[in-house]
């Protein structure tokens, strides 16, 4: 199983970006999906998560600005980021819990995509 993240970049404060992360490979079922971020010198933190049924959870720091969604047919999770702030600058990682075709339920990480917000 592989996760391919895309959509990061450089944006001015107040701007928007949309991150995508597609899972591929020997997938039987995709369960929870999430986005984490890690700023320089900081610990990795949960940004938002979404269950297979569509229940979402966002960190207080991004509520009202970021929206997580998923397309189950495409095994893809999205993060729409609006009203970006310089403090949102970080490497963003997607994370999913996947049951593979061997019926093993494992946790997978994407390769990370850089988001830089200039003031």
């Amino acid at each position: 199983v592989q996760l391919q993240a895309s959509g990061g970049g450089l944006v001015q404060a107040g701007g928007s970006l949309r991150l995508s992360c597609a899972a591929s490979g020997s997938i039987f079922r995709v369960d929870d999906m999430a986005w984490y971020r890690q700023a320089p010198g900081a610990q990795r933190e949960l940004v938002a998560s979404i269950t297979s049924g569509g229940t979402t959870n966002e960190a207080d720091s991004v509520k009202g600005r970021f929206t997580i969604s998923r397309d189950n047919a495409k095994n893809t999770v999205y993060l729409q980021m609006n009203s970006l702030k310089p403090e949102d600058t970080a490497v963003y990682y997607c994370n999913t819990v996947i049951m593979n075709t061997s019926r093993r339920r494992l946790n997978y990480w994407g390769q990370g995509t850089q988001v830089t917000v200039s003031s």
Side-chain angles (χ1 to χ4, degrees):
V1 174
Q2 300 83 35
L3 299 184
Q4 182 65 49
S6 60
L10 173 64
V11 64
Q12 289 188 333
S16 298
L17 284 173
R18 189 191 194 208
L19 305 183
S20 300
C21 179
S24 62
S26 302
I27 297 171
F28 175 76
R29 186 185 71 224
V30 178
D31 292 334
D32 294 351
M33 309 182 85
W35 288 96
Y36 288 74
R37 67 185 181 187
Q38 187 168 20
Q43 289 189 330
R44 192 171 296 189
E45 63 175 357
L46 176 66
V47 176
S49 63
I50 184 168
T51 67
S52 56
T55 300
T56 62
N57 179 59
E58 294 86 18
D60 288 343
S61 59
V62 305
K63 277 183 179 177
R65 301 188 298 122
F66 292 10
T67 302
I68 189 170
S69 61
R70 63 190 286 169
D71 184 332
N72 290 330
K74 296 180 179 179
N75 292 331
T76 300
V77 62
Y78 306 97
L79 186 68
Q80 178 66 44
M81 304 184 294
N82 299 328
S83 302
L84 281 160
K85 304 175 181 180
E87 50 263 44
D88 295 319
T89 295
V91 178
Y92 284 70
Y93 298 90
C94 59
N95 175 270
T96 69
V97 177
I98 292 174
M99 179 175 286
N100 61 25
T101 52
S102 298
R103 299 302 189 268
R104 293 185 66 194
R105 195 167 179 264
L106 300 172
N107 191 290
Y108 294 90
W109 289 92
Q111 82 279 15
T113 184
Q114 176 70 46
V115 172
T116 303
V117 184
S118 62
S119 56

